[in-house]
Amino acid sequence: MTATAPALGLSLLGGDPDHTALIADGTRLDYAELRDRVMRRRDELGDVRRLVMIAAGNAVEPIVTYLAALEGGHPVLLVSGDDDEAARAHRASLIARFDPDVVAHDGVSGWTLDERRAGSRHEFHPDLAVLSSTSGSTGSPKLVRLSAENVRSNAAAIAEYLQLTPADRAATTLPLQYCYGLSVVNSHLLTGASLLLTERSVADEEFWRRARTHAVTSFAGVPYTFELLEARGFDGRDLPSLRYLTQAGGRMAPDAVRRFAHLGRERGFELFVMYGQTEATARMAYLPPDLAMTHAGAIGRPVPGGAFRIDAADGAESGELVYEGPNVMMGYAHGPEDFRLGRTVTELRTGDVARLRTDGLYEIVGRMNRFVKVFGLRLDLDRVEHLLADEGIEVRAASADERLLLFATSPRAADRARERAAALTGVPARVIGAHAVTEFPRTSNGKRDYAALVRFAAHERSPAALRPTDPAVVTAETVRDLYATLLGEPDAGIDDTFAGLGGDSLSYVELSLRLEEMVGALPRDWPTRTPRELAASASPPQQPVTNTESDAAPAGAAATSVMRPWRRRFSWTRLETPVVLRAAAIFVIVATHADLFALKGGAHLLLAVAGYNLARFQLAPAPGTARLRRLGRSAAQLAVPAVLWIGAVALVTGQYAPTTVALLNNFVPGDGRWNEQWQFWFLEAMLWSFAGAAALFAVRRIERLERRAPFGFALVALAVALTARFAITGPTAEYVERYSAPVVLWLVVLGWLVARADTTARRIVVSVVAVAATFGFFGEPWREAIVAGGILALVWVRAIPLPRLAVPLVVTVAGASLFVYLTHWQVYPPFEQSAPWLGTLLSFVVGVIAYRLYVSAGAGAAAGWAWLRRATAPVSLRLRRA
């Protein structure tokens, strides 16, 4: 039996019929259309109350289904609609425990309502409207039971203090199933405002393009969102429509609050810092924007209709924060039998320890479960953190086995934290564990991950423990381990990126190949994606079909098979186009120089590939001066082996002038004719391209401009480079002009532009520009065709099919291309007339050997330096970032 529930869905839609409600890719719904679709979906769900689980996403159909279920009186259970393993497992556990009657999800043929039964086997309380997972749940899953009044009152309170009007438009930067994200939807629809529906991160340039196009006035974020904003140059973005930002989902550092509040004053937007829990539907408190600069540590005052009290012991300044208001939940549901319960709580004991300040604002000072006994003393771990922060030491404090554990981001800070904590708390230093970590870990929703720190301190966080037992399963940790191994970065975390870890075009070759084997086809922008994102997008492992009886599985075995080694070797795979082009270009260069055949244009094509990699790696978005450091490191990786080799040859043979050794030939006046001093023109062009980019991005205003419009910036840069080329050479470059850095710079910038062409229209533009700019440059159609064809492949072909047997050879040649280019000038000449094939072969053999020796020497030096650091800093332990 079920009870009638009040209709809620349409009452949340407060907009005028012709006013825009939802904007999504290719879809714009006004309020009249949204109401019509909600009513049609309500009819599909039927009149009998049923539990409707919605696999949510920031899209039209999940919102329509959510509103329709509320309008029909059906309790709604919102869960993640992501397709990664963790989300699937969570949905499966909730289905098994709470037995929904209808599961709405995005199926193969579109949005689908899977009816698991015609009616319902559950009994529901008349007030029950929404069931929401709480991030604080541990052990068996439990749900927060919310009434229609909870949802409506909290949406109205939020709308009141944010002063929402129909002119507002929020971008959905948070998941719909997250109570904070759902509150954004509810409050905006209630006031007749509109929503830009997007799954894109604030780290994605397309997010900002759409935000500008659709005049977004606000978006919401957790602390990690704001870290991303700072890392990706938010302070330089132009978003004139932005009216306010909201922050919740965990405490943000006061300094960060002040920085964003100050930026808001300069740029014309406000920052609302908010406090809430799922058990209070979403929000309990907010800090008025005009107080953010001066009261950054406070949570502010209760939302309209709510009230706080502090349950403190006699004489204590602080105690547990208790909230009362119409948005306090009905209670928890541990199983389906709890759906019929009425209100079981009338106030919310938050578990947070707070105090009421003299200015009338509330401030969180700790958590009830953060009080521990250490050496017989009762400690507030949050208070320990605050005391040390007052002394300029940022730490995370935890406890295990009656020991106080302190974590800092350097060995010196960890030692100092232990010393000061002993003095401030009275805990003997011998029972304080001090650990240096690379970065403080976070949970998936951006909150502090103290459990990860405790595991680390107990030496339980080993790479082996993180790997799945099934080798076909790809997790963020397995991808992270690959990054750590191949990039020599043992501290790599699942939220780092290849570009952010300093990856370059050399390490890119091997890592891209290994990644493709692990996760399947790689997106073009994989260097700027995290292991978490790559693991989530991993293709399911393919299980080759067996055709012979000898391959058949034994009776009762799983219906899968493993490709035999000999079949695997003779199969085909796909290798990223830049890797194949590097290998092909260096082969064409060496074989042409050795007179094996005559196909020119390889070196100029390599410049475009180098520019493509420059944009993807060195110029990938990064906070502060990280781009300059990457450019400097890449310049050194090119210049050091070049100067060492050319200098050694010059000392032995006297063949090269000092300006050639120093890669300064472009600055020496010449007669315009080719000579051996110009043999390394390609390296000079690349080195001075790095230097020019570093000089450009050292100007903060220019760097901000590039962050705001990466494609437009690269297009303008190409126009400038082409202007310089035509001013120097005219339509056709002749002789040494073809190799001077100012004349060939346009090829590097063209590769940069290719990397920034992220839509079909932009790729078409780049293709036209590439063909128009290339033909006529040499006055040799075949040479121009090679260069233009390679660039077009870079634009349109993501990966090139190759026999698997050929992959190790292609990867080795591509990785060693710099060293092959350096050394081949001394290897092939003796064989040029008699055996050009042998000269070509030996050039690659010597180049690969030189590459391996150089890498081994570098690894040895790095290992020695790491040993020295460990020897001089014994307390330093490294944490694999969660």
Side-chain angles (χ1 to χ4, degrees):
M1 116 181 227
T2 62
T4 302
L8 174 62
L10 292 185
S11 68
L12 287 177
L13 300 181
D16 293 334
D18 58 350
H19 187 69
T20 298
L22 305 177
I23 301 173
D25 290 329
T27 304
R28 181 185 289 261
L29 291 183
D30 58 34
Y31 274 88
E33 294 168 319
L34 180 56
R35 288 186 180 96
D36 287 344
R37 291 181 66 163
V38 166
M39 293 305 292
R40 289 198 298 271
R41 185 65 44 81
R42 185 202 64 174
D43 293 341
E44 293 177 40
L45 291 171
D47 295 327
V48 177
R49 292 187 78 194
R50 298 189 287 175
L51 177 58
V52 179
M53 173 186 278
I54 301 175
N58 290 328
V60 172
E61 292 297 344
I63 291 178
V64 168
T65 305
Y66 162 70
L67 294 170
L70 293 181
E71 183 63 21
H74 307 287
V76 176
L77 172 55
L78 291 165
V79 298
S80 171
D82 290 346
D83 197 36
D84 58 88
E85 182 185 4
R88 290 195 299 269
H90 183 60
R91 286 197 297 271
S93 69
L94 291 176
I95 289 174
R97 188 173 184 85
F98 295 102
D99 194 18
D101 304 305
V102 180
V103 177
H105 63 96
D106 201 358
V108 176
S109 58
W111 190 251
T112 302
L113 299 180
D114 282 343
E115 295 188 290
R116 304 180 74 222
R117 59 185 62 90
S120 177
R121 65 180 54 173
H122 306 305
E123 292 186 31
F124 305 106
H125 189 275
D127 294 340
L128 183 61
V130 175
L131 294 158
S132 183
S133 295
T134 170
S135 60
S137 297
T138 56
S140 299
K142 62 182 178 182
L143 301 176
V144 171
R145 295 183 292 117
L146 300 175
S147 68
E149 176 60 18
N150 290 155
V151 175
R152 185 186 294 106
S153 66
N154 203 227
I158 294 169
E160 180 179 338
Y161 70 73
L162 292 180
Q163 298 180 3
L164 296 181
T165 72
D168 282 299
R169 176 168 295 159
T172 54
T173 46
L174 298 170
L176 185 64
Q177 75 276 3
Y178 182 25
C179 72
Y180 184 13
L182 185 61
S183 73
V184 173
V185 172
N186 289 337
S187 58
H188 280 72
L189 292 180
L190 182 68
T191 53
S194 57
L195 297 163
L196 172 62
L197 304 180
T198 177
E199 296 280 1
R200 295 184 181 274
S201 162
V202 295
D204 191 331
E205 287 300 325
E206 180 62 17
F207 170 85
W208 296 105
R209 188 190 69 78
R210 297 193 67 210
R212 286 191 296 271
T213 299
H214 296 292
V216 161
T217 61
S218 71
F219 59 89
V222 297
Y224 182 55
T225 308
F226 287 82
E227 291 181 25
L228 280 178
L229 289 173
E230 289 197 294
R232 300 303 175 101
F234 176 71
D235 58 346
R237 292 198 179 276
D238 180 24
L239 196 61
S241 59
L242 188 64
R243 184 171 75 82
Y244 69 90
L245 304 179
T246 63
Q247 182 272 316
R251 183 178 185 268
M252 191 159 76
D255 283 347
V257 172
R258 283 188 284 268
R259 286 197 301 273
F260 276 94
H262 178 72
L263 180 63
R265 287 187 181 181
E266 291 183 337
R267 303 291 296 276
F269 65 81
E270 295 181 317
L271 173 67
F272 286 84
V273 176
M274 307 189 301
Y275 166 75
Q277 292 180 2
T278 307
E279 289 84 347
T281 309
R283 306 273 67 79
M284 289 183 282
Y286 72 100
L287 181 64
D290 59 320
L291 302 179
M293 288 286 291
T294 55
H295 300 73
I299 62 170
R301 58 182 62 135
V303 301
F308 285 129
R309 79 166 190 273
I310 293 177
D311 277 0
D314 292 341
E317 179 190 36
S318 60
E320 184 176 12
L321 185 67
V322 182
Y323 176 79
E324 295 180 85
N327 52 316
V328 173
M329 66 176 178
M330 298 171 66
Y332 291 112
H334 298 274
E337 64 278 4
D338 295 331
F339 295 162
R340 63 182 175 221
L341 296 178
R343 179 172 291 280
T344 58
V345 296
T346 57
E347 62 182 20
L348 177 60
R349 306 192 70 86
T350 66
D352 287 320
V353 179
R355 69 185 182 98
L356 178 60
R357 302 176 1 163
T358 56
D359 54 18
L361 300 177
Y362 288 85
E363 180 181 11
I364 303 296
V365 297
R367 283 285 295 173
M368 295 295 289
N369 60 7
R370 296 270 289 155
F371 284 86
V372 298
K373 275 286 186 74
V374 176
F375 202 69
L377 298 174
R378 187 170 184 265
L379 295 182
D380 176 356
L381 296 177
D382 290 320
R383 182 64 178 160
V384 172
E385 291 182 2
H386 292 155
L387 287 172
L388 292 173
D390 289 341
E391 301 211 356
I393 312 171
E394 185 181 8
V395 300
R396 298 291 182 266
S399 177
D401 301 324
E402 295 190 3
R403 285 172 56 83
L404 174 61
L405 304 176
L406 300 176
F407 302 85
T409 53
S410 74
R412 178 174 296 181
D415 281 339
R416 186 162 171 250
R418 173 162 46 192
E419 174 190 340
R420 295 305 300 148
L424 292 167
T425 65
V427 175
R430 68 177 182 274
V431 295
I432 300 177
H435 304 279
V437 298
T438 304
E439 184 177 272
F440 298 125
R442 292 179 292 267
T443 62
S444 60
N445 62 3
K447 296 184 179 180
R448 295 178 176 184
D449 193 346
Y450 289 103
L453 291 168
V454 172
R455 289 196 301 271
F456 165 67
H459 303 286
E460 293 175 356
R461 194 175 173 80
S462 66
L466 292 172
R467 293 190 181 97
T469 55
D470 180 359
V473 176
V474 179
T475 67
E477 284 77 14
T478 58
V479 178
R480 185 272 313 281
D481 287 346
L482 185 63
Y483 276 38
T485 301
L486 296 187
L487 295 178
E489 292 284 350
D491 306 322
I494 61 173
D495 289 312
D496 287 323
T497 65
F498 174 81
L501 290 169
D504 53 37
S505 58
L506 296 179
S507 51
Y508 162 84
V509 174
E510 184 175 2
L511 186 57
S512 64
L513 179 65
R514 296 280 295 277
L515 268 180
E516 191 122 32
E517 290 180 348
M518 179 181 287
V519 306
L522 292 173
R524 282 179 179 267
D525 63 346
W526 74 261
T528 59
R529 295 199 183 190
T530 65
R532 189 198 303 275
E533 293 169 330
L534 290 170
S537 66
S539 304
Q542 295 182 353
Q543 298 173 346
V545 178
T546 56
N547 298 316
T548 62
E549 290 185 1
S550 61
D551 290 332
T560 62
S561 60
V562 179
M563 182 179 284
R564 296 187 173 207
W566 66 269
R567 289 185 179 179
R568 180 176 175 84
R569 285 197 299 270
F570 286 97
S571 65
W572 285 68
T573 188
R574 295 169 64 82
L575 204 56
E576 277 206 314
T577 300
V579 179
V580 179
L581 288 179
R582 281 179 65 179
I586 194 64
F587 175 72
V588 168
I589 291 168
V590 174
T592 298
H593 289 170
D595 283 341
L596 182 63
F597 52 70
L599 281 177
K600 297 180 179 180
H604 289 82
L605 174 58
L606 264 185
L607 283 177
V609 175
Y612 181 82
N613 289 331
L614 172 72
R616 292 213 291 173
F617 309 142
Q618 289 81 6
L619 299 183
T625 60
R627 280 175 158 181
L628 298 181
R629 292 196 300 272
R630 289 178 194 162
L631 288 166
R633 184 165 53 243
S634 297
Q637 288 172 339
L638 185 151
V640 170
V643 170
L644 289 175
W645 176 261
I646 302 169
V649 173
L651 284 175
V652 173
T653 67
Q655 181 178 356
Y656 299 121
T659 50
T660 303
V661 175
L663 300 176
L664 295 172
N665 224 35
N666 274 275
F667 300 94
V668 178
D671 57 9
R673 290 180 296 180
W674 173 270
N675 58 60
E676 60 189 8
Q677 305 304 323
W678 279 97
Q679 288 177 349
F680 302 101
W681 69 270
F682 170 79
L683 303 182
E684 285 199 37
M686 275 310 305
L687 179 63
W688 295 111
S689 294
F690 286 137
L696 197 64
F697 287 106
V699 180
R700 182 65 173 154
R701 187 169 297 177
I702 293 178
E703 194 207 20
R704 290 175 179 173
L705 182 62
E706 194 277 338
R707 289 178 188 272
R708 289 200 297 268
F711 179 79
F713 187 94
L715 191 61
V716 172
L718 178 61
V720 173
L722 285 171
T723 300
R725 167 194 142 184
F726 285 111
I728 296 170
T729 70
T732 302
E734 298 182 1
Y735 309 114
V736 172
E737 286 179 345
R738 299 171 177 178
Y739 313 110
S740 66
V743 174
V744 299
L745 176 64
W746 69 273
L747 284 160
V748 178
V749 182
L750 179 57
W752 175 2
L753 183 64
V754 171
R756 297 294 191 245
D758 53 358
T759 65
T760 300
R762 289 176 174 177
R763 292 188 187 110
I764 292 172
V765 170
V766 173
S767 300
V768 172
V769 170
V771 173
T774 303
F775 282 94
F777 180 63
F778 302 105
E780 302 171 27
W782 276 108
R783 191 173 189 176
E784 291 155 353
I786 288 173
V787 176
I791 294 172
L792 290 177
L794 199 62
V795 174
W796 294 104
V797 182
R798 194 197 60 78
I800 295 175
L802 291 174
R804 195 175 292 273
L805 274 173
V807 168
L809 177 62
V810 173
V811 169
T812 299
V813 169
S817 56
L818 169 63
F819 292 83
V820 172
Y821 187 87
L822 274 174
T823 60
H824 85 287
W825 296 106
Q826 280 68 53
V827 177
Y828 77 81
F831 308 96
E832 192 170 1
Q833 301 299 323
S834 58
W837 63 270
L838 183 57
T840 301
L841 177 62
L842 288 177
S843 292
F844 282 98
V845 171
V846 171
V848 170
I849 291 173
Y851 169 63
R852 297 295 186 193
L853 290 174
Y854 185 81
V855 170
S856 298
W865 175 245
W867 178 87
L868 182 62
R869 289 170 62 191
R870 287 194 299 271
T872 57
V875 76
S876 175
L877 296 175
R878 293 294 179 182
L879 172 67
R880 285 277 182 92
R881 282 175 280 184

